[in-house]
Amino acid sequence: MRSCFLALLVVMSLPTMAQEQDSIVLQFAEYLGYVKKFHPIARQAELTIDTGQANLMKARGGFDPKVNVDYERKEFKDIEYYDRLNATFKIPTWYGIELKGNFEQNEGEFINPEESVPDAGLYSAGVALSLGRGSWINERMATLKQAKLFREQTKADRDLLVNQILFDASLAYFDWLQAYRNSLVFSNFLENAQVRFEGIKKSAEAGENAAIDTVEAKIAVLDRSLELEQALVTLRNTTLDLSNFLWLGDNTPVELQPNVVPDLFLDTEIDNTLEIAGMPLNSFTVENHPKLRSLGFKIEGLEVEKRLKTNKLLPRIDLEYNFLTETPEFINSFQTEQYKGGLIFEMPLFLRKERGDLRLAKIKLRDAQFDFDNARIVIMNKILAIYNELESFDTQNVLIEDIVETYETMLNAELRKFSFGESSLFLINARESKLIDAVLKRNSVENKFFKAKAKLFNSLALNPEEL
């Protein structure tokens, strides 16, 4: 009996969770750093910034100076019908004003009298402006304003995309960690069951225990072996899920090697890695949330569109005035009595198209405002719920730790009773099964606790700068 007692002492304490000596620990912060830098979705998110910059450049092109040269010549049977040259330089400005410079030279036997200009050509310099429609906002101004707002919106959208991929990657890491912890539990308890089986077997051979006890001990070994195999399958699958988030800089996916293991002491660094450490509920300003900032920029863009549609209710009144001169090198040659001017007036009688466009713009704006109001409430309530969940986990972690320690005490007590012949192997296995269930439940609660922190990170839509 004494030899059996010595063998059973091996299992009197809960198996430790030390990292294997030849394993490589993949730190949580290091892992998320790789995801943020190399994952295709994270890199794709950066393209939204480039898209915003490209749209802004395109919109600014509406104010680029333009040079236009129009040249025509016709000659038939030694007769020069016409030779026309018209070169124009335009500079669009912000408030619907366009500065113009022009050179015109026409000659030939069949040109219109109104096209007659001095032999050296005619120069003009002037301005074109809108007094009605397009005076305080026009297509070019609206496009540029919307492009600037879109650029800022893409920054917020980029943060949302990066946050989401980091959130998904975090969940995969936590599941991998739980699967690894569970495999260690079954591996260690299998080793204990094997040691117990060998001890019982030797005791039975010496006549100190009944032979049937070896059957009971062998069943425990087989049960633990089955549970370990199932745990290893889960571990391999979660490892594959984790590998989905690991890429190299040349768009090459990475597959984790078997000796790579998670960090078993993640709870000490998860808050700092996700940058949620020291963030009480009252420290969060909902208006700074990227989702609301994105919707806010969208609303501002729709307000620009509404102002443009409102402006189009005004009549079109375009004025143009150009000084004419043969000698532009002399300033005093520009005289007010030598000019070319024009006026365009246009006013639809019913304005049905313009009023319809304005009504549609107001509807889109109102719709976006509803989205903003709804998103604001949803975000606030979601964050509040997660803070409540995290507060509850503080209590749950204490309770589950007490449960594990209690079951461990019960198992050790049963082992001592067995050493004195006052218990049975059946009761020891039952106590051990309860302890295993408690440890697995502790791992599950820990996983849910970590995921709650990740959900807080996701709800706040943070984009960690230190990764």
Side-chain angles (χ1 to χ4, degrees), residues 66-177:
K66 296 179 177 63
V67 176
N68 181 43
V69 178
D70 185 9
Y71 177 72
E72 293 181 310
R73 178 182 176 87
K74 180 179 179 181
E75 188 170 342
F76 182 67
K77 294 183 178 181
D78 298 327
I79 299 175
E80 184 182 55
Y81 281 71
Y82 55 79
D83 190 315
R84 300 189 182 99
L85 173 63
N86 193 317
T88 304
F89 178 68
K90 299 179 181 179
I91 304 178
T93 61
W94 184 251
Y95 288 104
I97 300 175
E98 187 174 72
L99 304 178
K100 298 176 59 177
N102 180 265
F103 173 73
E104 185 179 3
Q105 189 176 42
N106 303 317
E107 57 185 30
E109 297 186 22
F110 294 98
I111 62 172
N112 293 328
E114 66 178 17
E115 296 179 306
S116 297
V117 295
D119 293 338
L122 183 65
Y123 296 86
S124 66
V127 61
L129 69 156
S130 298
L131 298 180
R133 184 186 306 172
S135 57
W136 48 278
I137 188 170
N138 53 43
E139 297 285 354
R140 286 197 302 259
M141 295 164 60
T143 301
L144 182 55
K145 287 182 178 180
Q146 289 176 325
K148 290 180 177 179
L149 293 169
F150 180 71
R151 180 187 59 179
E152 298 303 316
Q153 183 180 350
T154 57
K155 293 179 181 178
D157 292 339
R158 184 272 313 271
D159 290 342
L160 290 172
L161 288 172
V162 171
N163 174 270
Q164 185 62 42
I165 191 63
L166 292 179
F167 169 70
D168 294 338
S170 298
L171 297 186
Y173 189 95
F174 301 151
D175 288 338
W176 180 46
L177 173 61

